[in-house]
Amino acid sequence: MIISGKAIKAAVIGDPISHSLSPQIHNYWLEQNKIDGVYIALKIHPEDLQDCVQSLVKMGFAGFNVTLPHKEEIFKICQRKSKSAEFCKAVNTVIITSEGELFGHNSDVDGFINNLKENAQDFDLKDKIAFVIGAGGAARAAIYGLIKEGVRKIYITNRNEKKAIDLIADFNSKANIVLEFLNQIEFEERLKECDLLVNTTSLGMENQPPLLINLDFLPKSAIVYDIVYKPLMTELLSNAQNRGNKIVTGIGMLLHQAVVGFEAWFKVKPEIDQSIKKQIS
Ligand code: ATR
């Protein structure tokens, strides 16, 4: 690994941060591509965020990833933002420009869509009907991605109805798409119209309750996509696979979102190979 005095520097900031898989991913790609660069994890307390970000700018970092709890706060600090960041109201990737400005992007949108495209190559989202479980930050990224790809309609269900209604109102004011809230029973019944079912909640994740959803009405042709990647095979995915649906796991979303920052900072598009998939799953 080459780390010279001219090394390109990038980081991930969050609190906690020790669990982050991003250093492993980016440093694997740096080594694979023989790039003179380094990517480190930095634990930053919320009250120190402004100062620390200014320090990264002064120290000549090319940019950084942002994880909990800073995604919304960084959104406010960035001088310029991509459309994905604006729709998600959160930033997970920052590019520091040559003028020292912060350009904020949300690469979960790219990650969500590119993972689906990689794993369901014949599936065209245009004019399809998507069913989304959840109304948090990940749901916003998934929904904006689906809108960009031209889906016709999105049904949303969420434990907290108000949060989903607010999300729908926000997207309706910005995009030309039919978004509709359904309670879980209605959602399960309407699944007969579904082309793509997505879980964006943390349900099914290690140490979380399982996602309990009745798939009886889901057509066998529908794709089931879970963004949870620990475990890779969630109960939702295993139920879907057992009844004959095609499934998409969440690990690729993490890798595809990382590609965007890596390419912006280190100027090389990294490859998502079997080795990196294995290392982080
Ligand atoms: P993220 O940025 O990862 O999406 P988030 O914004 O906190 O995280 O959103 C978490 C999502 O998981 C929400 O849709 C949340 O539902 P609520 O809006 O009702 O809180 C959902 N979620 C988390 N734990 C849940 C649980 N035990 N039961 C149902 N939904 C849950």
Side-chain angles (χ1 to χ4, degrees):
M1 196 161 189
I2 329 152
I3 308 177
S4 79
K6 292 180 288 183
I8 301 170
K9 298 176 285 295
V12 55
I13 64 169
D15 184 11
I17 199 64
S18 56
H19 66 285
S20 174
L21 294 171
S22 296
Q24 208 177 323
I25 297 170
H26 287 274
N27 287 306
Y28 172 82
W29 285 333
L30 284 171
E31 193 161 347
Q32 188 178 51
N33 291 286
K34 301 198 171 16
I35 293 170
D36 182 12
V38 64
Y39 183 102
I40 53 171
L42 299 170
K43 181 175 169 180
I44 296 180
H45 290 293
E47 64 269 26
D48 300 327
L49 186 63
Q50 294 259 7
D51 287 348
C52 287
V53 166
Q54 276 322 305
S55 297
L56 292 177
V57 174
K58 284 184 189 161
M59 289 190 292
F61 273 66
F64 52 93
N65 282 125
V66 187
T67 186
L68 295 175
H70 303 314
K71 289 184 185 186
E72 287 79 19
E73 206 47 43
I74 289 286
F75 176 83
K76 295 182 199 153
I77 299 174
C78 288
Q79 286 92 351
R80 289 193 290 128
K81 280 167 287 230
S82 70
K83 253 182 141 177
S84 294
E86 297 280 4
F87 268 89
C88 297
K89 291 189 170 158
V91 161
N92 74 342
T93 305
V94 174
I95 297 152
I96 301 174
T97 68
S98 48
E99 294 82 38
E101 280 194 339
L102 305 178
F103 178 79
H105 179 57
N106 194 308
S107 67
D108 281 339
V109 176
D110 316 279
F112 175 81
I113 292 297
N114 291 339
N115 184 38
L116 179 60
K117 285 185 175 169
E118 183 196 326
N119 290 289
Q121 287 177 0
D122 300 332
F123 183 68
D124 183 1
L125 280 165
K126 190 131 187 59
D127 289 326
K128 295 292 194 298
I129 301 186
F131 281 63
V132 174
I133 306 163
R140 281 181 175 269
I143 290 167
Y144 181 54
L146 294 171
I147 291 173
K148 278 212 308 183
E149 293 297 315
V151 297
R152 176 154 56 95
K153 196 166 184 177
I154 303 176
Y155 290 108
I156 299 168
T157 197
N158 192 48
R159 174 181 59 179
N160 179 338
E161 178 170 346
K162 183 175 181 307
K163 198 155 134 194
I165 300 287
D166 289 349
L167 179 152
I168 289 170
D170 190 32
F171 272 92
N172 275 339
S173 69
K174 293 177 183 154
N176 193 12
I177 169 95
V178 185
L179 294 159
E180 192 179 329
F181 177 80
L182 299 174
N183 67 39
Q184 187 162 345
I185 294 166
E186 295 164 336
F187 189 89
E188 288 169 347
E189 281 170 4
R190 288 277 188 97
L191 280 176
K192 55 181 180 289
E193 299 171 32
C194 179
D195 296 304
L196 172 70
L197 171 64
V198 187
N199 173 41
T200 71
T201 73
S202 46
L203 294 172
M205 200 185 279
E206 238 172 48
N207 305 320
Q208 295 288 321
L211 170 63
L212 301 172
I213 180 147
N214 181 351
L215 301 180
D216 286 354
F217 293 109
L218 185 72
K220 296 281 190 288
S221 58
I223 292 175
V224 179
Y225 184 172
D226 199 335
I227 71 160
V228 168
Y229 58 83
K230 238 182 179 140
L232 201 57
M233 189 54 93
T234 59
E235 203 170 312
L236 169 70
L237 292 184
S238 116
N239 289 343
Q241 194 168 50
N242 287 342
R243 64 192 294 287
N245 291 93
K246 181 168 176 50
I247 60 161
V248 177
T249 67
I251 197 74
M253 177 168 167
L254 176 73
L255 288 162
H256 278 284
Q257 71 76 30
V259 165
V260 178
F262 190 94
E263 194 175 5
W265 306 317
F266 302 112
K267 312 296 177 203
V268 171
K269 185 166 185 175
E271 193 197 332
I272 296 177
D273 59 19
Q274 286 311 320
S275 169
I276 187 64
K277 278 187 188 166
K278 226 189 244 162
Q279 278 184 49
I280 61 165
S281 53

